Amino acid sequence: MNKLAATPAFARPAFVEDAKQEFEALIAAHPEIEYLDAVVVDLCGILRGKRMGIVEATKIFESGMQIPESVYLMDARGEMTDVFGHGYGDGDPDATGWPIPGTLSPVWGDTPARAQILTTLRDEQGIPFPGEPRAALEMVLDRFTELKLTPVTALELEFYLLDIERDELGQPQPPRCPRTGVRECEPSVYGLDDLDRYRDFLQALNDAARAQNLPLTATSKEYAPGQFEANLRHLADARLAADHVVFLKQVVKAAARATGFEATFMAKPYPNRSGSGLHVHVSVLDEKGRNIFDNGTREGSEVLRHAIGGLAAVMPESMALLAPNANSYRRFQPDMFAPANRQWGVNNRSTGLRIPIGPADSRRVEHRVAGADANPYLVMAAVLAGIHHGLVSKLDPGAPAHGNVSREPDPDIALTLDEALNRLLHAKVLGSYIGREMISLYCETKRIEAIRFRKIISAAEYDWYL
């Protein structure tokens, strides 16, 4: 049973005491803090919650925070979807939000000073709301605990810096070089000079990550003008690793604003440039702390191949979690480093499932399909569910791929949101890991969002058909 276990009706969960002590220590160390944000992460991966003065904030560590359950079920714009009557239909009832220990931090660059903490919403019986993404990930982690195994995860997040001004058509455009004022137009992947030119932004990002306790390990220039990648340290707590991605997005945007840019995690902001992904690296430790994927070879152990087999088996039904928006599917193009396949290979970025080279004891699989726009808790849940499924079922992934397979799309991988949602709704494996109700709530929320999106007439439609 994990630490956030269910508790009697409205009794304060035991874990809240740890969160309270962290809060008291933070306020003692930072008396300048005037506000606390108590936040949740909705199905779209967006932070929502309440802001309260620091004196009032102490109450949430005793009696919790009342906030509607429907806060999880907003569309990408923050509009209520009323999924299955959750919202307007049921009177929009409250749940109680309880602070989660280990998630408290100051908020960088804000005036007046404030802090924030994640909360988990519980009903009167102390059970998490079935649409809570973090709780879905916890359900998967419980399955690893039963096997006495611990996933170790590290995530890489790609994003674009944008000029704060749109072009003449109102579309985003690359930033102007801080050194010359000339608009960026070259890919310049891994360019160190690019890191020098954007040192003010990168310094702000590092300062923000340090202030908010985010283990940022490296940043690099990615494959398109204004595109970067931020890497987070590997952790033996997948929940915390996903928390870090949520708040990394927050600090990237804050650092961009502070240095005169915008930042976006849109999967494909430019049609002819590379998209932005969320890559998940996973190894698994046994009770003795031994990496079960390591057998001293580049290819890894037979157990690693079982894990890859599970990831391949689950990928068709998890695409709507990995690629949650209509725009997400624009990433999947040949030679764009966004593989739309279930193939695996050693040191091969054209495969959806890659085994990186490096020290044998760090042997791992890199899942390269998810977009930067995806909810990190649900991505992590889908990836770990696939690995667990492969381990217990001893699935065979087949032979590794060689060479460029990005031009070989998998016919079983949905390349439209509607098809992906349909496959997730009828998932044969994921439902047993993250719950049928979670899947139903997610699919209906995104279906309603897609219907609203399709009602919008684009400028291109007028240009083509008016």
Side-chain angles (χ1 to χ4, degrees):
M1 199 68 175
N2 64 58
K3 192 175 183 181
L4 304 188
T7 55
F10 286 112
R12 190 181 77 148
F15 62 80
V16 176
E17 183 59 31
D18 290 340
K20 179 183 178 182
Q21 292 178 13
E22 292 172 2
F23 175 73
E24 291 171 346
L26 180 69
I27 298 307
H30 297 276
E32 72 278 7
I33 291 176
E34 298 184 26
Y35 295 94
L36 176 70
D37 289 353
V39 301
V40 299
V41 183
D42 72 6
L43 288 179
C44 293
I46 296 171
L47 289 173
R48 305 193 186 278
K50 293 184 178 182
R51 180 167 299 170
M52 57 202 75
I54 208 66
V55 175
E56 291 296 313
T58 59
K59 295 178 182 178
I60 72 167
F61 298 93
E62 300 300 334
S63 55
M65 170 186 66
Q66 301 304 305
I67 193 169
E69 295 174 332
S70 62
V71 72
Y72 287 117
L73 309 177
M74 302 291 128
D75 68 15
R77 300 172 303 157
E79 183 177 347
M80 186 179 290
T81 56
D82 198 38
V83 170
F84 305 132
H86 288 284
Y88 300 122
D90 58 2
D92 208 16
D94 281 342
T96 303
W98 295 104
I100 300 172
T103 66
L104 175 70
S105 76
V107 176
W108 177 83
D110 211 32
T111 303
R114 62 185 171 94
Q116 63 189 6
I117 193 167
L118 278 177
T119 62
T120 173
L121 268 59
R122 304 300 177 96
D123 65 14
E124 294 181 3
Q125 285 72 47
I127 299 172
F129 181 64
E132 180 176 304
R134 199 175 194 269
L137 174 56
E138 288 175 345
M139 291 174 62
V140 180
L141 292 173
D142 284 343
R143 303 285 286 272
F144 279 88
T145 300
E146 292 169 1
L147 298 179
K148 299 181 179 179
L149 296 174
T150 302
V152 176
T153 61
L155 295 101
E156 301 169 346
L157 181 66
E158 296 172 335
F159 59 92
Y160 273 91
L161 291 183
L162 306 175
D163 194 319
I164 59 174
E165 295 182 2
R166 298 292 184 255
D167 68 13
E168 62 275 8
L169 299 177
Q171 297 177 348
Q173 52 187 345
R176 294 184 182 276
C177 169
R179 184 185 296 163
T180 66
V182 176
R183 191 168 310 284
E184 300 285 3
C185 62
E186 301 296 335
S188 191
V189 64
Y190 290 113
L192 291 179
D193 185 58
D194 296 80
L195 302 184
D196 291 338
R197 297 200 310 274
Y198 289 87
R199 63 160 59 95
D200 289 348
F201 162 73
L202 295 172
Q203 184 61 57
L205 177 58
N206 277 277
D207 291 345
R210 191 178 305 111
Q212 295 193 202
N213 303 317
L214 303 177
L216 183 64
T217 60
T219 52
S220 57
K221 177 66 180 60
E222 267 299 332
Y223 202 69
Q227 190 184 31
F228 294 85
E229 180 182 87
N231 299 344
L232 292 163
R233 182 179 302 118
H234 63 275
L235 295 174
D237 183 341
R239 294 170 304 176
L240 186 58
D243 295 341
H244 287 161
V245 176
V246 169
F247 291 122
L248 178 60
K249 289 184 176 184
Q250 180 188 49
V251 300
V252 166
K253 289 188 173 184
R257 288 193 301 270
T259 51
F261 306 106
E262 289 186 24
T264 183
F265 301 96
M266 188 178 184
K268 190 80 168 180
Y270 304 115
N272 299 317
R273 301 289 189 182
S274 60
S276 292
L278 174 62
H279 301 155
V280 184
H281 293 249
V282 185
S283 58
V284 178
L285 305 183
D286 64 16
E287 283 186 290
K288 297 180 179 179
R290 185 183 67 87
N291 182 359
I292 66 173
F293 291 167
D294 171 28
N295 68 349
T297 69
R298 283 164 48 98
E299 294 79 11
S301 66
E302 182 180 13
V303 178
L304 173 55
R305 286 188 284 280
H306 292 329
I308 292 171
L311 287 169
V314 171
M315 195 182 294
E317 63 185 44
S318 60
M319 280 301 293
L321 302 177
L322 307 175
N325 306 308
N327 175 265
S328 307
Y329 296 85
R330 296 183 184 275
R331 280 182 63 234
F332 302 116
Q333 300 178 20
D335 303 329
M336 284 288 187
F337 302 103
N341 63 63
R342 295 180 290 169
Q343 298 195 59
W344 70 282
V346 179
N347 199 22
N348 188 338
R349 283 186 171 85
S350 73
T351 61
L353 305 167
R354 170 180 176 254
I355 300 176
I357 59 173
D361 60 1
S362 65
R363 192 65 63 230
R364 63 194 184 275
V365 60
E366 178 190 12
H367 192 290
R368 294 180 52 80
V369 181
D373 54 345
N375 184 311
Y377 299 109
L378 298 179
V379 169
M380 191 83 80
V383 170
L384 294 182
I387 289 175
H388 185 277
H389 176 59
L391 294 179
V392 298
S393 303
K394 294 182 169 55
L395 298 181
D396 180 7
H402 298 281
N404 182 6
V405 295
S406 73
R407 302 177 187 181
E408 303 172 19
D410 191 320
D412 291 326
I413 298 298
L415 292 180
T416 67
L417 179 59
D418 288 343
E419 183 183 357
L421 288 171
N422 183 60
R423 294 193 184 190
L424 175 58
L425 190 60
H426 297 93
K428 296 179 179 179
V429 177
L430 276 180
S432 65
Y433 282 92
I434 67 175
R436 292 299 326 172
E437 191 170 1
M438 161 57 85
I439 287 177
S440 295
L441 289 169
Y442 180 87
C443 287
E444 186 66 4
T445 297
K446 300 304 289 187
R447 186 188 72 83
I448 291 170
E449 178 183 306
I451 290 173
R452 291 172 176 174
F453 180 79
R454 282 195 290 267
K455 289 181 179 178
I456 300 169
I457 299 177
S458 69
E461 286 184 74
Y462 288 121
D463 289 342
W464 283 44
Y465 305 120
L466 189 64

